[in-house]
Amino acid sequence: MKLIYIDEAGQTGTKLDPNQPIHLLSAIVVDVESVRKIEDAVRSLGQKYFGALSERTDFEFHGYEIQKGKGHFRSKNVEERIRIVSDLIDILLLNDVKVGFVAINKLKSRASLHPHQLAFLFLVERIEDLLVNEDTMGLLIADENHEMEQRLIEDLELFKTKNTKFGWRPTQINRIVDSVHFVRSKNNRLIQLSDIVAYVLLRGRRVQDLLFLRYLKSINENEPISYFDWLKSNASKGQMVDIELLNKINKMQVFSKTFPQ
């Protein structure tokens, strides 16, 4: 049995914000037997970097706060915060966790569905594929989202009794059991890890796309240079960190969907 932890990044609702064009929904897929080991590893990491502070009920690992040095992370310098994120990703790598995501380009999408609802639909289709391939069942656990919770619960029920009814690939959901279980991220360490994954995916892909466009514009046919060599001279230290963290997560990626293509 798999437990699938879902979180989001780039949420602006139906508002079209040019500065945040992508709504990304990530999932980490975990063997139920590994959950306690991962929880203990995250708990130990909190003790390592924050001691007793990590035992407070308001403490959590949160991608945006770590990157910006806000909240409990304002006492850590940039290098320490990078190590924290890298160590959290390593916990997933060491426990053979699988990662998938759906990215909705809100500026290009003409779908009538809310971006979060549309991302959830595509995500559930791909989770179903994964569960079928591994001949197992799965339970969805998501970060609380008061605006969308009831809608997603109702959507999943529809997908299970009929199908996803979207595009060329309607899928009946047979391998996901029960409903969507919404939890507070402060109370769930694996949701915190899913938040880290979503944040790194969104930020890293944005940086990577930007740099690759710059690379294409700078290509000189008389003096060709590979993209990786070009990065060494043109990417900032911070951008290289974003790409390195993204590459770590890419090692675990088993599915993705971008809409529109």
Side-chain angles (χ1 to χ4, degrees):
M1 173 116 176
K2 306 290 185 182
L3 299 187
I4 300 108
Y5 296 86
I6 300 170
D7 207 350
E8 67 196 51
Q11 166 72 290
T12 59
T14 55
K15 177 184 177 183
L16 299 180
D17 183 350
N19 296 316
Q20 294 193 66
I22 305 299
H23 182 102
L24 186 141
L25 203 57
S26 73
I28 62 172
V29 184
V30 185
D31 289 324
V32 68
E33 295 84 1
S34 301
V35 170
R36 181 58 189 269
K37 182 180 177 183
I38 294 172
E39 287 177 334
D40 289 344
V42 176
R43 187 179 295 110
S44 295
L45 195 67
Q47 285 286 340
K48 173 183 176 181
Y49 285 104
F50 295 95
L53 178 64
S54 67
E55 299 173 11
R56 289 176 43 169
T57 57
D58 64 343
F59 179 87
E60 67 176 308
F61 289 107
H62 190 270
Y64 177 81
E65 291 185 350
I66 297 174
Q67 198 275 325
K68 296 296 184 182
K70 293 181 176 293
H72 298 303
F73 303 94
R74 62 179 176 272
S75 63
K76 304 298 181 183
N77 60 39
V78 172
E79 288 74 18
E80 288 175 311
R81 300 200 309 273
I82 292 169
R83 283 200 301 273
I84 289 170
V85 173
S86 184
D87 287 350
L88 288 167
I89 296 172
D90 284 343
I91 291 173
L92 299 175
L93 282 165
L94 290 170
N95 286 279
D96 297 319
V97 171
K98 297 178 175 65
V99 169
F101 73 90
V102 172
I104 306 296
N105 188 321
K106 293 172 285 188
L107 299 183
K108 294 182 179 180
S109 174
R110 296 295 180 265
S112 59
L113 293 177
H114 187 289
H116 193 85
Q117 192 177 12
L118 183 61
F120 180 74
L121 182 154
F122 287 132
L123 190 74
V124 167
E125 287 182 342
R126 277 144 187 80
I127 290 170
E128 177 74 11
D129 290 343
L130 178 65
L131 296 174
V132 168
N133 289 338
E134 300 201 5
D135 192 21
T136 189
M137 309 296 284
L139 179 73
L140 304 184
I141 303 165
D143 191 13
E144 63 181 358
N145 184 324
H146 299 305
E147 177 189 1
M148 298 301 299
E149 287 181 9
Q150 188 58 40
R151 195 178 308 180
L152 299 188
I153 289 170
E154 292 170 1
D155 282 353
L156 180 60
E157 181 66 15
L158 181 64
F159 303 158
K160 291 165 73 173
T161 55
K162 296 182 180 177
N163 58 47
T164 54
K165 289 187 177 179
F166 191 87
W168 61 274
R169 193 177 174 276
T171 303
Q172 184 167 9
I173 305 304
N174 298 312
R175 296 285 181 149
I176 295 174
V177 301
D178 205 355
S179 184
V180 189
H181 293 263
F182 291 94
V183 299
R184 296 186 66 194
S185 57
K186 287 182 171 60
N187 300 329
N188 192 295
R189 290 177 172 82
L190 282 98
I191 284 290
Q192 293 172 32
L193 290 176
S194 190
D195 171 84
I196 297 295
V197 167
Y199 190 79
V200 170
L201 279 168
L202 184 65
R203 183 178 175 85
R205 283 165 54 84
R206 183 185 299 154
V207 168
Q208 190 173 65
D209 290 348
L210 174 66
L211 289 172
F212 193 67
L213 284 175
R214 284 177 52 197
Y215 164 71
L216 292 176
K217 291 178 180 179
S218 69
I219 289 177
N220 185 333
E221 294 181 1
N222 298 321
E223 298 180 20
I225 182 174
S226 74
Y227 175 59
F228 297 103
D229 288 336
W230 180 89
L231 282 177
K232 295 175 185 177
S233 302
N234 292 275
S236 69
K237 182 178 179 181
Q239 288 171 327
M240 288 303 297
V241 167
D242 288 328
I243 291 173
E244 288 167 6
L245 293 173
L246 177 65
N247 287 338
K248 272 193 169 190
I249 289 177
N250 287 343
K251 294 177 182 178
M252 299 178 280
Q253 184 179 310
V254 291
F255 65 82
S256 66
K257 168 69 178 178
T258 301
F259 181 86
Q261 292 287 2

